[in-house]
């Protein structure tokens, strides 16, 4: 979603970032023994509305502990993977069941972290993806991995989130549905939503500019999602602009409109417009990281509202039958239609 390309010289290295970060971890609750993990793909009609009475039960004895991280995403998938591996181990040590990474966190973001996909090293990206899948299996952890999904040499890839299971398998993939004009120079648009049940919590996957289209959160609510896992890239910019406030307002508003929670993160490559945060359906932000430096926060679901908070919307808006659900041109490539195709 970043709107400006800044020369790579403005980047900071992984070593500089790690030195600056120290132990930047927030929101750790008491660590309990990890129960067995389970996940089943949701089989819910896109238009099925889930009653408000089925909202998350914060007193549930089973919890989904989500860790979300930020780091200075670069054009090097090898450097990016090293950050992700370190955060996976740290998250597992904190009792997290799932680690969430930012938009294009492994591949780098075309048009921002690097100019184009011309001569892109897809072989290294695949190798790093497979190694992260293996680590997820070793740690028995879910991984939401921001990357790019190769289709073929003549078709633009998708900007994607791989949902990787504790068995190390790609169980599904979300392709960014709403693509900015700049995105459309490099990526094919997505055209399907992805939900998944993990430890009794139904998550939905979204990427960056999707937040500017209210129908996406409505559609996910109607599929029964209560927690949005939303990856963004508002970084590598020249300084402050409207993005410093846009997502900090839009995300809590979408949550309030739809009685949902959201876990939202960002690249921390300077200048980064905001740090990763947790939004609640009373329009509050439960936790947030400092911008422009690597870090991780952890939050448990089911969750409560803020102290003294309340629901604001008792009759959420319904989807129109003819609503558009993508911006840009989706491909009809079999590797895009298959949500479990390998990287």
């Amino acid at each position: 979603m970043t709107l400006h390309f800044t020369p790579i010289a403005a980047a900071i290295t992984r070593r500089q970032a790690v030195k600056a970060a120290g132990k930047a971890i927030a929101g750790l609750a008491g660590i309990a023994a990890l129960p067995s993990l389970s996940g089943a793909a949701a089989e819910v009609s896109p238009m099925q509305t889930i009653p408000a009475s089925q909202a998350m039960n914060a007193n549930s004895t089973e919890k989904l502990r989500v860790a979300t991280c930020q780091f200075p995403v670069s054009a090097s998938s090898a450097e990016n993977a090293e950050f992700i591996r370190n955060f996976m181990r740290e998250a597992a040590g904190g009792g997290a069941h799932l680690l969430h990474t930012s938009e294009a966190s492994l591949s780098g973001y075309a048009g921002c972290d690097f100019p184009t996909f011309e001569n892109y090293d897809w072989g290294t990206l695949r190798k790093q993806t497979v190694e992260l899948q293996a680590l997820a299996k070793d740690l028995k952890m879910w991984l939401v991995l921001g990357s790019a999904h190769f289709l073929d040499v003549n078709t633009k890839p998708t900007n994607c989130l791989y949902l990787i299971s504790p068995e190390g398998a790609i169980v599904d993939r979300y392709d960014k549905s709403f693509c900015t004009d700049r995105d459309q120079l490099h990526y094919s648009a997505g055209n399907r939503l992805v939900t998944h049940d993990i430890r009794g919590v139904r998550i939905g996957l979204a990427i960056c500019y999707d937040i500017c289209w209210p129908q996406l959160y409505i559609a996910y609510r109607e599929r029964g999602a209560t927690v949005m896992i939303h990856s963004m890239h508002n970084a590598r910019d020249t300084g402050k602009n409207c993005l410093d406030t846009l997502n900090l307002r839009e995300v809590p508003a979408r949550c309030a409109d739809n009685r949902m929670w959201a876990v939202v993160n960002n690249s921390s490559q300077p200048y980064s417009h905001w740090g990763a945060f947790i939004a609640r359906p009373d329009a509050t932000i439960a936790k947030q990281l400092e911008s422009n430096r690597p870090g991780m926060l952890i939050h448990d679901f089911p969750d409560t509202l803020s102290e003294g908070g309340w629901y604001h919307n008792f009759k959420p808006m319904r989807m129109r039958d003819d609503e558009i659900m993508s911006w840009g041109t989706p491909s009809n490539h079999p590797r895009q239609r298959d949500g479990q195709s390998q990287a």
Side-chain angles (χ1 to χ4, degrees):
M1 187 170 167
T2 305
L3 302 180
H4 305 283
F5 176 70
T6 305
I8 300 298
I12 64 175
T13 66
R14 185 174 66 83
R15 179 174 296 179
Q16 290 170 327
V18 170
K19 183 177 180 181
K23 292 186 177 180
I25 180 170
L28 273 173
I31 300 173
L34 288 175
S36 61
L37 296 167
S38 63
E43 298 292 341
V44 180
S45 165
M47 296 304 295
Q48 179 177 339
T49 301
I50 305 299
S53 60
Q54 293 184 21
M56 284 194 288
N57 176 10
N59 296 318
S60 171
T61 57
E62 185 171 57
K63 298 288 185 180
L64 171 63
R65 180 163 289 179
V66 176
T68 189
C69 66
Q70 61 185 39
F71 61 88
V73 175
S74 73
S76 170
S77 60
E79 282 199 7
N80 295 336
E82 185 64 18
F83 269 112
I84 295 168
R85 282 190 288 271
N86 289 340
F87 279 122
M88 289 176 72
R89 295 185 182 103
E90 190 172 5
H97 307 106
L98 181 152
L99 177 71
H100 168 218
T101 70
S102 62
E103 177 182 17
S105 62
L106 181 60
S107 60
Y109 190 11
C112 183
D113 295 319
F114 55 90
T116 74
F117 278 112
E118 186 176 359
N119 299 319
Y120 186 79
D121 187 355
W122 291 103
T124 297
L125 182 68
R126 293 187 188 98
K127 176 178 180 293
Q128 298 298 338
T129 304
V130 170
E131 290 179 0
L132 290 171
Q133 290 177 250
L135 182 57
K137 183 176 181 179
D138 289 344
L139 297 174
K140 297 180 171 57
M141 162 180 279
W142 289 88
L143 175 64
V144 176
L145 179 63
S147 193
H149 186 66
F150 178 82
L151 299 178
D152 65 36
V153 295
N154 298 313
T155 308
K156 296 172 186 174
T158 63
N159 181 336
C160 75
L161 294 176
Y162 292 111
L163 180 61
I164 297 170
S165 74
E167 291 72 43
I170 295 174
V171 298
D172 214 334
R173 187 194 71 256
Y174 172 72
D175 299 318
K176 186 176 184 178
S177 296
F178 292 94
C179 292
T180 66
D181 290 345
R182 172 163 290 188
D183 285 336
Q184 293 176 43
L185 298 175
H186 310 287
Y187 296 99
S188 297
N191 57 2
R192 67 186 186 91
L193 304 183
V194 172
T195 62
H196 206 81
D197 291 349
I198 305 177
R199 296 180 60 82
V201 175
R202 181 164 297 173
I203 65 169
L205 301 183
I207 300 176
C208 211
Y209 188 49
D210 288 341
I211 195 61
C212 295
W213 301 78
Q215 60 265 43
L216 185 120
Y217 269 53
I218 294 171
Y220 270 119
R221 186 199 74 238
E222 292 184 343
R223 284 175 173 254
T226 54
V227 177
M228 292 299 299
I229 305 295
H230 203 136
S231 298
M232 298 202 188
H233 191 304
N234 288 167
R236 203 187 282 275
D237 217 334
T238 56
K240 291 185 177 181
N241 59 34
C242 67
L243 295 177
D244 286 68
T245 57
L246 178 69
N247 291 310
L248 294 174
R249 295 179 181 179
E250 275 196 312
V251 175
R254 299 282 181 261
C255 290
D257 287 345
N258 294 286
R259 301 165 67 94
M260 298 167 74
W261 282 255
V263 180
V264 191
N265 62 15
N266 195 9
S267 167
S268 68
Q269 189 72 261
Y271 174 76
S272 172
H273 292 278
W274 47 270
F277 64 93
I278 308 294
R280 284 170 161 158
D282 56 4
T284 61
I285 292 177
K287 298 169 183 171
Q288 185 171 10
L289 294 179
E290 181 182 347
S291 60
N292 295 308
R293 61 183 297 173
M296 181 175 76
L297 62 79
I298 291 180
H299 201 73
D300 286 348
F301 299 95
D303 190 22
T304 63
L305 303 182
S306 64
E307 185 176 354
W310 60 86
Y311 287 110
H312 304 285
N313 188 339
F314 293 94
K315 194 172 179 60
M317 187 179 296
R318 296 195 62 192
M319 283 277 290
R320 287 172 40 149
D321 292 339
D322 61 347
E323 190 61 82
I324 65 167
M325 291 305 297
S326 63
W327 191 252
T329 305
S331 80
N332 194 35
H333 198 284
R335 281 180 51 79
Q336 181 162 358
R337 295 196 306 270
D338 180 5
Q340 296 178 329
S341 59
Q342 293 301 303

